[in-house]
Amino acid sequence: MKLLRNIVVIVSLFLVVDIARYLVYPDVGRLVKENPSATAFMEYREDQWRGEGLDDKKIRQRWVSLDRVSPNLVKAVLIAEDNKFWEHKGFDYEAIEKAIEKNIEAKKFESGASTISQQLAKNLFLSPSKNPVRKIKEAILTWRIEKSLTKRRILELYVNVAEWGDGIFGIEAAARHYFGVSAAGLSAQQASRLAAVLPNPLEYSPVNPSGYVRSRARHIYAIMRRRGIVVPDYQEVMAPPPDTTKVDSVVVGVPDYLIEQAESSDSVSVTGAEDPGSSEGKGSSDTSGESPEPSPESGSSNP
């Protein structure tokens, strides 16, 4: 009996140490600027392939900044996976409570109610197992991620490491594989389908959708429209308003009294001193006031 008790104590200590190390390891702070080249979940998939004798199978991923991801995709993912992303601090407690009730009724683990931050923690550092120890580690890492990274950075990391199909990771690879466009070129309908398959991208396809995917994609798209996210002139609506300030009224670093002196001297100038026959100066001043053509970047409407 004493031996059994000692074994239990040793195992318990091992579990405590194993969990506690995630309070300091791995280095979450490096993700502020560093894009991970691989994730624990990618390595998990590669181990699966090697076990099946698929040694030549490779991960397909291409990193893109969030500025180069369609706003349609970003909003569709938030609606589908984490509707309170901007409000919570890593955990949606209301969704967790509903998930627990649902799992108790089903008498099995069906729903996890994981936020995007929790999914990111799992994808980056953990296995996809559903045991309680892994969930505790995930909670610790989620807390650290939320403390160290901005919401925008969390979202950027998520869309670049999420699994979207067999060997397909990240939205750029997914957009090109399924629709032949870049992540920036995804339409609202394409985005809603990609978001719809996230719960199980190996079983569901955005291009050959099952009834479940079609229904879920329609629901996501309907919410996008209802919230005013999808409108015909989206790019025009999202573009920054033009600068209507009069040029003459903008003065930087010139004292008011100098401007007043200049104006008063102009008003008392002798009109007879002007040579009506001299037109060279006036002719040259007509062209000097032309505005240069705006650069292509100035028309960018990415939010």
Side-chain angles (χ1 to χ4, degrees):
M1 191 69 179
K2 185 177 180 180
L3 177 61
L4 179 61
R5 186 166 56 248
N6 289 338
I7 292 173
V8 171
V9 170
I10 292 171
V11 171
S12 299
L13 285 173
F14 175 79
L15 288 175
V16 169
V17 172
D18 182 48
I19 292 171
R21 68 191 176 100
Y22 283 94
L23 289 168
V24 294
Y25 173 86
D27 182 11
V28 173
R30 65 183 175 81
L31 295 173
V32 172
K33 294 183 179 180
E34 182 180 327
N35 299 329
S37 57
T39 67
F41 195 75
M42 291 178 190
E43 292 171 356
Y44 171 82
R45 285 291 185 229
E46 289 175 329
D47 287 341
Q48 280 188 323
W49 298 337
R50 281 191 289 269
E52 297 169 2
L54 303 173
D55 296 337
D56 295 332
K57 197 168 183 179
K58 302 295 182 183
I59 296 289
R60 283 175 283 174
Q61 184 200 30
R62 186 185 299 183
W63 194 277
V64 290
S65 67
L66 199 61
D67 291 333
R68 295 173 58 194
V69 176
S70 168
N72 294 319
L73 185 280
V74 172
K75 291 159 186 173
V77 166
L78 291 176
I79 290 169
E81 294 296 300
D82 195 350
N83 203 31
K84 296 180 180 178
F85 176 73
W86 301 110
E87 303 167 17
H88 65 64
K89 295 182 178 180
F91 306 95
D92 186 345
Y93 296 105
E94 183 180 347
I96 291 172
E97 183 180 347
K98 291 180 180 178
I100 292 172
E101 293 174 356
K102 184 177 179 181
N103 293 335
I104 291 173
E105 291 178 3
K107 296 182 179 180
K108 62 179 180 179
F109 190 89
E110 285 189 343
S111 177
S114 293
T115 62
I116 281 177
S117 302
Q118 288 175 276
Q119 293 180 49
L120 179 62
K122 179 191 70 175
N123 289 343
L124 287 173
F125 305 117
L126 303 169
S127 73
S129 63
K130 296 182 179 180
N131 65 72
V133 174
R134 198 273 289 168
K135 293 297 290 184
I136 296 172
K137 294 176 182 177
E138 178 188 291
I140 293 172
L141 288 168
T142 300
W143 171 71
R144 291 180 61 202
I145 284 172
E146 284 278 342
K147 281 189 64 177
S148 303
L149 308 178
T150 64
K151 287 287 189 179
R152 178 183 172 86
R153 180 58 174 163
I154 291 171
L155 194 55
E156 182 175 62
L157 287 164
Y158 178 80
V159 298
N160 275 286
V161 303
E163 184 179 44
W164 253 291
D166 189 16
I168 302 169
F169 286 82
I171 189 55
E172 182 71 14
R176 293 185 182 279
H177 175 76
Y178 292 117
F179 300 112
V181 299
S182 68
L186 288 166
S187 68
Q189 290 86 350
Q190 292 167 341
S192 62
R193 285 195 176 189
L194 284 166
V197 304
L198 277 171
N200 195 338
L202 297 186
E203 181 177 346
Y204 303 124
S205 169
V207 290
N208 297 305
S210 63
Y212 165 80
V213 172
R214 284 195 297 269
S215 175
R216 193 162 190 253
R218 282 196 299 269
H219 181 65
I220 294 168
Y221 181 74
I223 293 174
M224 293 170 75
R225 288 188 62 88
R226 187 161 63 248
R227 292 180 180 178
I229 293 171
V230 179
V231 293
D233 298 321
Y234 179 83
Q235 298 296 335
E236 182 179 345
V237 171
M238 293 303 294
D243 185 5
T244 56
T245 306
K246 293 181 179 180
V247 175
D248 290 342
S249 67
V250 178
V251 180
V252 180
V254 181
D256 291 341
Y257 76 90
L258 289 179
I259 298 174
E260 293 173 358
Q261 289 179 7
E263 290 176 345
S264 61
S265 63
D266 287 343
S267 62
V268 298
S269 61
V270 181
T271 57
E274 182 179 348
D275 183 2
S278 176
S279 60
E280 286 186 3
K282 291 184 179 181
S284 61
S285 65
D286 290 341
T287 57
S288 63
E290 291 182 3
S291 299
E293 288 292 326
S295 63
E297 288 80 9
S298 66
S300 174
S301 56
N302 288 333

